[in-house]
Amino acid sequence: MCVPQEVRVYNEEVELEDRDPQQDYMLYKDTCADLAKLMAEIQELKSSGAKSVEIEERHRQCSVHFITLKKLNRLAHMRLKKGRDQTHEAKQRVDVLHLQLQNLLYEVMHLQKEISKCLEFKSQHEEIELVSEEEFFQEAPAEISRPHVTRDDNHQLTLARLDWELEQRKRLAEQYKMSLARKEKIQKAIEQKREYLSSLQPGLQNIMQASLPVQEYLSMPFEQMQKQAEVARHLPPPLYVLLVQAAAYGQACDKTLSVNISGDVDEAKALSRRPEDSQEDESDSDAEEEQQNTKRRRATVGVQLEDKRKAMLRRHPLSLCVDLKCKGVIYFENVNILIHFLFIFVLHLFFYYLMNLNILTVKTKVSTATDLSGAVSAGELLNSESLLNCLYASDHGKETPNPANRYQFDKVGITTFADYVSDLGHPYVWVQKLGGLQFSSDGAQVALSASHMEKTMKLLRGRLQARLALHKQFSSLEHSIIPVSSECQHLFPAKVVSGLTRWTMMSYQEFTELGFVQHVLKAGLVCETDLFFMAVVERGTARLLAAVVLNPRYPEVMPLFSLSLHWKGERSGRTEDNLRAMESEVNVFRAELQGPRPGLQLLTNQIQRLCVCLDVYLETESQVCDGSEGPREFPREKMCLRTARGPSRLKPFKYNHPQGFFSHR
């Protein structure tokens, strides 16, 4: 009988549970040390030539150590796998618990939302504004109020109050229907009366049309005045003040002055609507802009600034046009020929109001019945940009007179208002005063406008007359003719040999480059707004250059002459006393040269006086000291009491009428 043998199976996993990892680590270190020691001994034996038996013995020992290391490596991998498995199982347990927690939190949140919905639920009856409980019990009948039930039950009280509200609304609906019926009857009566009034309108219009010739004959345009008065209601206050004062001045003092309103009346009506309507429109437009901004790309910063500038410089849609008519005759006498000019011209003044800046601006235009394009040098005289410069002293109209505008300009990047003058007009100070605007101190608008209206209109008329007179004079000067009126002939001798050969206009830059005018510039007697001309007077080989500065306020401000003589060298008023005396003759003695008021012949008289002074200078200069005759290029034709006087040898430039001789001053 065979006895079964016990079968034993080696299992490293079972052995792993009984082994200590720390002991395996120490075994690993000892094995590695023994292995290193055996390797060193094998190397020594081989180098010493020992027997192969000893080497083989150590090889076997090394093999045993390698087997031990392999076993320790397997045990380490098994421990690592076992640790990973345990970690994974623990992580799965944590994930399961976390998922359960999330599910529980979601259920809690869902329940909380449901509870909130229930708490926030509102019935439709809560939106109805019911009467108070006291009024309800006082006014409601007993069958609806039921006080014995409703006073203790809030639910029944609410139902009763809703029933009473329904009864009241039914009663009010009946009253509303009755009111609508009464309203329709009243509207029908109004329509009948309106039809009757509209049937009268054609007849009234026919009567008005038939009365137009009578109105024109009597100079009483009632219809035109009525239309203008209707439009004037929509003018801004400054333009309205200007309209009233200009019309009053024209009616009282100047029948040729006329005032008209132009522009878009519908747009002006839209601007003059009630503030509440405009605020609602602004809110609606803002909402539309916000909706559009979500669909379109935002504008750049530069475009936004440009839009803000345009909005700030926006003019009122209505403007005023003041027409100032002038007429007159100018007489010139030259070479026994009497020349007269009859001129009729209209100065158009267009007044605008800048709403956001609270200032008035003006543009000008001159229309004449005659052609004034003959003189080249007179091109700037009637220029709309400079015609009204310095109507009052130092009023150039380049910058806004309102000090608040400076802060407004800083917000939108405007450096100077002068860049916009050509488009918007000139904001002269006198324009603001005509509209009743005064920024330095408070005052009544109408009184301020009335106090400046008459003076300003006279200055405007005088400015236009002076410019037109200069225009005609320049046309003669460019043809080397000095027009001298018959009223001024006694100021000069009968024969003047020196003559004007050239009259041209020059710029401010060209004027400053002249060497003989530097003393005038240093004295501050010249501004860029002045007009500059060059006059050349010749006699024989002598050539006199005269730089003329014409102030915009001519003839109130006298033209200024600076001289340079080219004869036997170059001389000027800074280097020779006699030339300085000639400058005094034409620049200082206004009373002698002005002529009849308003002194429109002042410039031509100055030029003629300059020619006379050149004759005296040359004729007396050609006389030598010993009394004998000198060169005969300039024969003496002027009678002088003394040819020179004093250490500076000044010449006699003063002409004495009617004796006809020259003397010293």
Side-chain angles (χ1 to χ4, degrees):
M1 183 175 179
C2 295
V3 180
Q5 297 181 356
E6 184 180 356
V7 180
R8 296 183 179 181
V9 180
Y10 175 71
N11 190 354
E12 287 187 346
E13 294 180 356
V14 176
E15 183 184 359
L16 183 64
E17 295 177 357
D18 298 333
R19 295 178 66 94
D20 186 9
Q22 188 65 27
Q23 293 179 359
D24 288 345
Y25 176 68
M26 297 304 296
L27 178 60
Y28 167 74
K29 290 180 65 177
D30 295 340
T31 305
C32 289
D34 294 340
L35 186 59
K37 183 179 179 181
L38 291 173
M39 289 293 181
E41 292 177 356
I42 292 173
Q43 185 178 3
E44 290 179 1
L45 291 174
K46 285 185 177 181
S47 60
S48 63
K51 295 180 180 181
S52 59
V53 177
E54 296 178 358
I55 296 175
E56 288 295 335
E57 179 64 26
R58 285 173 173 76
H59 280 171
R60 284 193 297 270
Q61 293 177 5
C62 289
S63 299
V64 173
H65 289 307
F66 277 117
I67 292 173
T68 303
L69 290 176
K70 287 183 179 180
K71 182 177 181 179
L72 292 174
N73 185 39
R74 287 195 304 272
L75 293 176
H77 281 287
M78 292 172 66
R79 284 195 184 95
L80 178 61
K81 183 178 181 301
K82 184 178 179 181
R84 287 179 176 175
D85 293 341
Q86 292 176 353
T87 303
H88 182 66
E89 291 176 0
K91 186 177 180 181
Q92 284 184 340
R93 288 195 301 272
V94 172
D95 291 341
V96 170
L97 294 175
H98 186 267
L99 181 60
Q100 292 176 356
L101 176 61
Q102 292 293 332
N103 292 335
L104 292 174
L105 292 176
Y106 178 77
E107 291 180 4
V108 170
M109 183 177 64
H110 178 70
L111 293 175
Q112 288 177 347
K113 286 184 178 180
E114 293 297 327
I115 293 172
S116 299
K117 287 181 180 179
C118 294
L119 293 176
E120 294 174 359
F121 175 76
K122 290 184 179 181
S123 177
Q124 291 184 354
H125 79 277
E126 295 181 2
E127 300 177 358
I128 301 175
E129 186 177 355
L130 301 176
V131 297
S132 64
E133 294 183 7
E134 295 179 359
E135 294 180 3
F136 170 69
F137 285 114
Q138 290 177 1
E139 299 177 359
E143 61 270 13
I144 295 179
S145 62
R146 294 176 298 166
H148 60 283
V149 177
T150 57
R151 287 188 183 277
D152 299 329
D153 191 346
N154 289 332
H155 178 65
Q156 292 298 329
L157 177 61
T158 303
L159 293 177
R161 292 174 68 186
L162 290 173
D163 292 338
W164 175 240
E165 183 71 20
L166 179 61
E167 290 294 330
Q168 285 184 319
R169 294 198 177 196
K170 287 181 180 179
R171 185 174 67 255
L172 292 175
E174 291 296 330
Q175 294 179 1
Y176 176 69
K177 290 181 181 179
M178 296 174 60
S179 300
L180 283 180
R182 189 163 56 253
K183 178 183 176 182
E184 290 178 358
K185 291 181 181 179
I186 296 173
Q187 283 183 343
K188 288 182 180 179
I190 293 174
E191 288 296 332
Q192 291 177 356
K193 294 180 180 179
R194 186 175 294 168
E195 290 177 359
Y196 173 73
L197 293 176
S198 62
S199 63
L200 293 177
Q201 186 175 1
L204 295 175
Q205 289 180 350
N206 293 332
I207 295 174
M208 292 295 295
Q209 290 294 330
S211 65
L212 288 179
V214 179
Q215 295 180 24
E216 295 179 357
Y217 179 77
L218 298 177
S219 299
M220 302 173 68
F222 296 111
E223 185 177 7
Q224 182 180 359
M225 293 170 60
Q226 183 179 3
K227 291 181 179 179
Q228 183 161 302
E230 181 66 23
V231 177
R233 294 172 49 203
H234 307 288
L235 285 173
L239 289 181
Y240 184 79
V241 171
L242 178 58
L243 170 68
V244 173
Q245 293 302 320
Y249 176 78
Q251 185 176 1
C253 304
D254 191 352
K255 299 296 183 182
T256 62
L257 186 143
S258 61
V259 188
N260 297 311
I261 304 175
S262 59
D264 191 343
V265 182
D266 295 333
E267 187 177 353
K269 290 180 180 179
L271 287 176
S272 60
R273 286 185 305 177
R274 294 181 302 174
E276 296 83 23
D277 297 341
S278 62
Q279 289 177 359
E280 292 177 1
D281 294 342
E282 288 177 1
S283 61
D284 295 340
S285 62
D286 292 342
E288 292 177 359
E289 289 180 359
E290 290 177 0
Q291 293 178 359
Q292 292 177 358
N293 287 337
T294 58
K295 299 180 181 179
R296 65 185 181 185
R297 184 164 55 92
R298 185 180 297 274
T300 60
V301 177
V303 175
Q304 291 178 352
L305 273 179
E306 186 63 27
D307 294 340
K308 289 181 180 178
R309 293 191 192 103
K310 291 181 180 179
M312 180 171 293
L313 301 176
R314 183 185 176 191
R315 296 192 299 206
H316 193 276
L318 295 181
S319 61
L320 288 184
C321 177
V322 178
D323 295 338
L324 188 63
K325 298 179 181 179
C326 300
K327 61 180 179 180
V329 180
I330 298 179
Y331 294 94
F332 297 128
E333 185 175 350
N334 190 22
V335 195
N336 298 326
I337 298 177
L338 183 62
I339 306 173
H340 70 278
F341 293 100
L342 175 63
F343 57 90
I344 299 175
F345 56 91
V346 182
L347 175 62
H348 305 280
L349 300 172
F350 303 96
F351 294 92
Y352 304 97
Y353 178 64
L354 304 186
M355 299 179 291
N356 294 320
L357 301 182
N358 190 29
I359 59 173
L360 288 174
T361 60
V362 63
K363 284 188 173 184
T364 59
K365 180 183 177 182
V366 179
S367 59
T368 61
T370 58
D371 185 15
L372 300 178
S373 60
V376 177
S377 59
E380 293 294 326
L381 292 179
L382 299 179
N383 187 358
S384 59
E385 294 295 328
S386 60
L387 177 62
L388 303 182
N389 278 351
C390 300
L391 188 66
Y392 289 86
S394 302
D395 190 3
H396 303 288
K398 295 296 184 181
E399 293 296 337
T400 169
N402 188 354
N405 297 155
R406 182 67 270 159
Y407 302 97
Q408 294 175 286
F409 291 164
D410 292 340
K411 294 181 179 179
V412 296
I414 297 178
T415 57
T416 175
F417 187 77
D419 298 336
Y420 303 90
V421 163
S422 59
D423 297 329
L424 302 177
H426 293 265
Y428 296 109
V429 176
W430 58 267
V431 176
Q432 317 306 316
K433 293 182 178 179
L434 290 183
L437 296 175
Q438 188 171 7
F439 304 108
S440 58
S441 60
D442 296 333
Q445 289 184 341
V446 177
L448 179 64
S449 176
S451 63
H452 287 79
M453 179 61 68
E454 182 176 2
K455 181 179 180 181
T456 301
M457 290 302 165
K458 289 181 178 179
L459 288 175
L460 288 172
R461 187 182 297 276
R463 171 62 60 87
L464 201 53
Q465 290 177 346
R467 290 299 174 90
L468 196 64
L470 287 174
H471 201 287
K472 297 296 184 181
Q473 294 170 10
F474 287 0
S475 180
S476 299
L477 293 176
E478 288 187 359
H479 292 84
S480 301
I481 299 174
I482 303 176
V484 180
S485 62
S486 57
E487 294 88 348
C488 300
Q489 285 289 348
H490 66 280
L491 300 176
F492 314 103
K495 184 177 181 181
V496 180
V497 182
S498 299
L500 180 71
T501 59
R502 185 161 64 93
W503 174 264
T504 57
M505 186 177 184
M506 58 181 173
S507 64
Y508 175 75
Q509 183 65 29
E510 294 173 342
F511 180 84
T512 57
E513 294 175 356
L514 298 175
F516 58 93
V517 301
Q518 298 305 314
H519 63 289
V520 178
L521 295 173
K522 293 179 181 179
L525 301 177
V526 178
C527 297
E528 293 188 19
T529 54
D530 296 335
L531 301 177
F532 304 94
F533 302 90
M534 177 63 74
V536 180
V537 180
E538 294 183 359
R539 180 179 178 181
T541 59
R543 187 166 178 262
L544 180 64
L545 303 181
V548 184
V549 180
L550 189 67
N551 192 280
R553 299 173 62 197
Y554 172 88
E556 182 180 351
V557 178
M558 196 171 183
L560 182 64
F561 283 69
S562 299
L563 305 180
S564 174
L565 179 63
H566 294 262
W567 182 61
K568 297 181 180 179
E570 183 178 357
R571 317 173 191 181
S572 67
R574 301 303 93 191
T575 59
E576 186 173 343
D577 294 334
N578 282 302
L579 280 179
R580 189 181 303 112
M582 290 173 62
E583 291 179 351
S584 299
E585 287 293 325
V586 295
N587 291 334
V588 176
F589 304 102
R590 178 190 179 94
E592 298 179 8
L593 298 174
Q594 183 175 2
R597 295 188 64 84
L600 301 180
Q601 302 299 310
L602 178 59
L603 176 63
T604 54
N605 290 343
Q606 285 178 295
I607 298 176
Q608 185 72 356
R609 172 67 66 86
L610 188 63
C611 295
V612 173
C613 290
L614 182 62
D615 283 346
V616 174
Y617 181 92
L618 296 176
E619 292 177 11
T620 56
E621 187 74 12
S622 61
Q623 187 109 2
V624 295
C625 301
D626 56 2
S628 61
E629 292 188 358
R632 297 187 176 274
E633 181 183 3
F634 306 115
R636 284 192 58 180
E637 298 179 354
K638 307 294 186 296
M639 184 172 60
C640 304
L641 296 181
R642 295 174 60 184
T643 58
R645 186 185 68 179
S648 58
R649 310 300 294 169
L650 292 179
K651 302 179 184 298
F653 293 116
K654 179 182 178 181
Y655 178 68
N656 296 272
H657 177 78
Q659 293 83 2
F661 64 87
F662 288 84
S663 63
H664 293 84
R665 291 191 180 274

